[in-house]
Amino acid sequence: MMGGNSLSAAHVAYSLGIDLRFLYYYPSPFKLCMALLQKRGSCSLHNRLDSCLQMETDRQENHISTSHTENSNPLESRIISKNNDDDSFPSKRLKRGSTDVTSCGDESFPWYSPSLSSFSFSRCNKVLHQGQLAVIDTHQTTWSANVPRGSRGHMKDFWKVYMESCVDASPVLVFKGANIYLFIGSHSHKFLCLNARSGSVQWEIKLEGRIECTAAIVSDFSQVVVGCYMGKIYFLDFLNGHICWIFQASGEVKSQPVVDTCRQLIWCGSHDHNLYALDYKKHCCVYKLPCGGSIYGSPAIDEVHGLLYVASTGGRITAISISASPFNILWLHELEVPVFASLAVTQNGTVICCLVDGHVLALDPNGSTVWKKTTDGPIFAGPCIPSVLPHEVLVCSRSGSVYSFKLEEGDLMWEYNVGDPITASAYVDEHLQLESDASHSSDRLICICSSSGGIHLLRVSRNLSEVMQINKDVMCKNLQG
C-alpha cells in the first residue's frame, strides 16, 4: 500500500499537492498517476473520491444537532479476569518464556505509591484532574535521583502487550486512587484498558475501524472517549468498556478529543472538515462548525479568555468564543499551509501553531502574530509546553531535530537532532527531578520518540543559562525487533 504510515502519507500528499485520501484509494503508483492524469485540472477526481469514501450516515445541514442516538447493536467489550481464565477471549500479551509480564519490581519508586487524587495525563504533557476546570502548575516532584551530569543511563522493559497491528496513537495514563490504568488502541481496531503496573488487560473492545486517535477521559472519569477511521466517536464506560454512546461523523477521526469540563463537552474534529461539540452527559451533538479542511490535530481551549482554537489542513485557524451560548466565531487566520499538529495555549493566552512547512507561529487572543520561527523540516506533531519548563515550548520536526523556543519572543534556546525523523510530540517527565551537586539546579528528562522506533531521553536544566551546556542524549533505546 502506498498509504503506509499515516503521517508519512500526509507528508507525501502535501509534497505532491494532492488530497491525502488519494494514497489510500489508489493503492499503487501507477493507479495514482493515471488518476491524476485523468484529472487534468478538473474537480471530477475529487468528486469521485468523495463519492467513493462517503460514509452511509445522515448528514446534518445546520450547526446544531441533537438527533444522534446510541447504536442499536453496540460492539461487545470483554472484561479480562486477573488470572486470564477466559479462554474464549484471551489477552494478546507478548509471551516471554513461561511468563507474560515482567516487571522491575522496585517498589521504592513512586510508580508503586498510591495517589490521593484522580488525574490523567497524555501527550504534550496534558493533565486533567478529576473535578477541576483547569490545571495550572500541575507538576510536583514525586521523587528525585542523584545522577552526575554527563553520565549515561539505560532503559528497562517493565512489560509488553501485543496490539496485533500498528500503534499510531499515544497512550493515556490515568491515576485513580491506588490504581493506574493505561488506555491505547491500534490499527487492529482493538482498544484496551491495561493495568499500567503489570500490563495485564482489564478490558478490551474491538471497534469498527482502525484507531489512530489518542483517547480522552471525561472530567468525572466515568467515560473514555476515542475515535476511529469509520468516523465513529465512542463513549465507553471507564470500568468495563461497555458502549455508552456512539456519535457518527462523516469522515475519519484522528484528532484526540478535548475535554471541556466547564461546559461538559467533548470537542473533536474529523476528516469531514467539521469540528463537533458533544455533550458527554446528555449524549448529543450541540455544535458543528466547518473549518475549511480536515482536522488531524486537537483543538485547544483558553479558559481565561473563554476561547477555543482549531486548525485544519486547509491552512485555517479558527477562534471560537465559548464563554456563553450560542458559540460564535471571533476570527479566522488563513495560513495557506496545512496544519496537521495539535494547537497549544500558554498561560497568558498565546496560541502556538506548528505548520507542515516547518514554521512555528505564535498568535495572541486577537489573532495577531506575536512571533514566527522556522525549523529545518516538516512538523506534524503538536508543541509541548511543560509546566516544569515554563518559559519554553518544545517542537519536534520530521528532520529529526528537537527545538526549544522562548515562549515570549520565540528566540531559539537550543536544538538537538536525534538522527531519525520525529512525528510525535515531546514529553517532559514532570515528576522526576535529577540532581548532581549543590552548585547546579535540578534537571528534567525530555522523552523523544522517533519514527525508527527509538526512544531518546534528553537531560535539560531548568536554569535557562545552563540549558545549552547539558542538552545530551543520556539514554536511547530502539523498540524495533
Side-chain angles (χ1 to χ4, degrees):
M1 282 288 293
M2 283 185 57
N5 176 274
S6 59
L7 287 178
S8 298
H11 186 212
V12 171
Y14 170 70
S15 300
L16 295 177
I18 62 174
D19 192 304
L20 173 64
R21 295 173 293 176
F22 291 167
L23 300 180
Y24 293 97
Y25 184 66
Y26 302 105
S28 70
F30 176 76
K31 291 182 178 179
L32 176 63
C33 182
M34 293 302 296
L36 293 177
L37 288 174
Q38 290 175 5
K39 179 185 177 185
R40 292 188 182 277
S42 71
C43 62
S44 59
L45 179 63
H46 288 269
N47 295 337
R48 178 186 174 194
L49 181 65
D50 289 335
S51 177
C52 292
L53 295 181
Q54 182 178 0
M55 297 185 177
E56 295 179 359
T57 180
D58 293 332
R59 295 176 179 264
Q60 301 294 330
E61 295 299 330
N62 52 29
H63 290 248
I64 305 297
S65 171
T66 58
S67 62
H68 299 277
T69 58
E70 192 171 333
N71 190 350
S72 58
N73 294 306
L75 303 175
E76 184 179 5
S77 66
R78 298 294 182 92
I79 298 179
I80 309 300
S81 62
K82 293 183 178 180
N83 56 9
N84 287 323
D85 291 334
D86 185 0
D87 295 331
S88 63
F89 201 63
S91 61
K92 300 293 186 179
R93 285 176 290 173
L94 182 66
K95 295 183 178 179
R96 312 180 82 188
S98 58
T99 61
D100 289 339
V101 179
T102 60
S103 172
C104 73
D106 189 345
E107 298 189 2
S108 65
F109 282 7
W111 186 257
Y112 292 90
S113 302
S115 173
L116 299 179
S117 62
S118 296
F119 61 93
S120 69
F121 60 90
S122 62
R123 58 185 183 81
C124 301
N125 287 70
K126 294 181 180 178
V127 182
L128 174 66
H129 286 263
Q130 184 176 11
Q132 293 188 12
L133 299 182
V135 180
I136 300 177
D137 293 333
T138 58
H139 67 278
Q140 57 176 335
T141 302
T142 306
W143 62 292
S144 61
N146 194 306
V147 181
R149 288 178 174 172
S151 61
R152 290 182 62 88
H154 68 279
M155 285 178 261
K156 180 179 180 180
D157 295 341
F158 274 87
W159 47 260
K160 295 180 181 179
V161 173
Y162 182 51
M163 298 295 295
E164 300 185 14
S165 190
C166 303
V167 179
D168 282 346
S170 300
V172 172
L173 200 61
V174 178
F175 287 74
K176 195 171 185 180
N179 300 313
I180 308 177
Y181 303 95
L182 186 146
F183 297 89
I184 188 68
S186 79
H187 284 204
S188 68
H189 300 198
K190 284 194 173 182
F191 185 74
L192 277 66
C193 172
L194 305 172
N195 181 317
R197 290 195 178 98
S198 65
S200 60
V201 180
Q202 305 300 293
W203 54 259
E204 64 180 81
I205 183 172
K206 192 163 187 177
L207 307 183
E208 292 186 42
R210 77 185 193 192
I211 303 167
E212 296 186 9
C213 167
T214 298
I217 312 296
V218 302
S219 58
D220 61 1
F221 284 38
S222 62
Q223 299 173 76
V224 185
V225 186
V226 64
C228 78
Y229 246 60
M230 289 301 292
K232 296 179 183 294
I233 302 174
Y234 293 85
F235 291 72
L236 308 175
D237 189 285
F238 184 98
L239 297 177
N240 52 35
H242 292 167
I243 296 176
C244 303
W245 182 51
I246 300 176
F247 173 79
Q248 178 69 69
S250 301
E252 302 94 320
V253 177
K254 297 181 60 168
S255 166
Q256 180 185 16
V258 170
V259 181
D260 185 350
T261 303
C262 185
R263 285 154 285 274
Q264 297 185 344
L265 297 176
I266 287 289
W267 295 88
C268 191
S270 168
H271 196 89
D272 64 11
H273 297 195
N274 292 314
L275 174 70
Y276 298 95
L278 308 176
D279 190 317
Y280 58 79
K281 290 287 188 181
K282 299 178 181 179
H283 289 161
C284 62
C285 179
V286 299
Y287 188 71
K288 174 182 173 182
L289 175 70
C291 295
S294 300
I295 303 172
Y296 286 87
S298 298
I301 297 177
D302 178 1
E303 289 290 0
V304 176
H305 298 91
L307 300 176
L308 179 139
Y309 303 95
V310 60
S312 73
T313 58
R316 177 190 299 174
I317 297 181
T318 305
I320 309 166
S321 174
I322 58 173
S323 57
S325 182
F327 306 143
N328 62 285
I329 297 175
L330 290 186
W331 51 261
L332 302 175
H333 194 108
E334 299 292 348
L335 303 170
E336 300 180 355
V337 178
V339 179
F340 288 89
S342 299
L343 301 178
V345 178
T346 67
Q347 290 187 14
N348 65 1
T350 302
V351 187
I352 308 296
C353 177
C354 297
L355 284 61
V356 75
D357 67 354
H359 283 95
V360 182
L361 181 68
L363 303 173
D364 66 19
N366 297 317
S368 300
T369 300
V370 179
W371 53 262
K372 185 177 182 180
K373 300 298 177 180
T374 304
T375 65
D376 60 355
I379 305 175
F380 293 99
C384 175
I385 307 177
S387 57
V388 293
L389 303 173
H391 303 290
E392 57 188 295
V393 54
L394 303 176
V395 175
C396 295
S397 167
R398 202 172 190 278
S399 67
S401 291
V402 184
Y403 299 85
S404 173
F405 296 101
K406 283 187 178 181
L407 277 177
E408 292 187 3
E409 306 91 0
D411 296 338
L412 180 65
M413 298 175 62
W414 53 263
E415 175 186 350
Y416 184 84
N417 194 290
V418 301
D420 290 301
I422 308 172
T423 55
S425 301
Y427 193 91
V428 179
D429 191 331
E430 299 188 336
H431 296 270
L432 171 61
Q433 180 174 279
L434 298 181
E435 300 174 346
S436 54
D437 55 67
S439 63
H440 293 100
S441 61
S442 59
D443 302 337
R444 297 289 178 168
L445 289 178
I446 300 176
C447 180
I448 306 296
C449 297
S450 69
S451 297
S452 64
I455 299 178
H456 303 260
L457 291 183
L458 313 180
R459 180 171 179 168
V460 177
S461 173
R462 294 180 64 185
N463 187 330
L464 300 183
S465 64
E466 299 175 357
V467 70
M468 286 295 295
Q469 303 174 15
I470 63 167
N471 181 37
K472 304 293 184 182
D473 195 346
V474 296
M475 299 186 200
C476 181
K477 181 179 180 66
N478 197 292
L479 299 183
Q480 289 189 341

